Amino acid sequence: MNVVKEIASINRRELDLGITGTEASSWHFQYRDSAYVFIGGLDYDLTEGDVLCIFSQYGEPCDINLVRDQQTGRSRGFAFLAYQDQRSTILAVDN
């Protein structure tokens, strides 16, 4: 319960100082022109098609870069995905 009280205290201080609660303080505002999403913690056996199937529920992907090991060609467990519409990026990250 102490952790919850500490977080509430931090939130109150941020609001009092004007750090949060403004559009400019939101990550949405900071990355408003980017349609790319970093996807980490992927299973090494997933393919580009698998990642597209999962993330197409939030919008239409237009680019994917599943990072692979240069020597073995095996996935390194993370990818970068771009959506045609930046609003899809927000949906994917928030969900």
Side-chain angles (χ1 to χ4, degrees):
M1 190 64 169
N2 289 336
V3 174
V4 173
K5 289 180 183 179
E6 183 65 25
I7 291 171
S9 172
I10 291 169
N11 289 340
R12 273 193 304 278
R13 273 188 274 147
E14 287 180 346
L15 284 171
D16 291 341
L17 295 171
I19 296 172
T20 60
T22 63
E23 187 179 83
S25 64
S26 168
W27 73 266
H28 294 282
F29 182 79
Q30 186 177 359
Y31 294 101
R32 68 186 175 278
D33 297 325
S34 175
Y36 275 90
V37 177
F38 169 79
I39 307 165
L42 295 174
D43 188 276
Y44 296 113
D45 295 326
L46 289 177
T47 65
E48 286 88 347
D50 297 330
V51 176
L52 288 174
C53 283
I54 295 166
F55 283 90
S56 64
Q57 64 183 320
Y58 304 112
E60 188 172 343
C62 61
D63 183 34
I64 184 166
N65 179 11
L66 181 63
V67 180
R68 297 185 176 276
D69 184 277
Q70 290 181 351
Q71 295 175 342
T72 65
R74 190 168 182 217
S75 168
R76 292 187 53 200
F78 65 96
F80 298 94
L81 178 77
Y83 286 102
Q84 283 196 324
D85 187 355
Q86 197 273 337
R87 292 174 292 182
S88 299
T89 304
I90 294 172
L91 285 172
V93 171
D94 285 350
N95 291 300

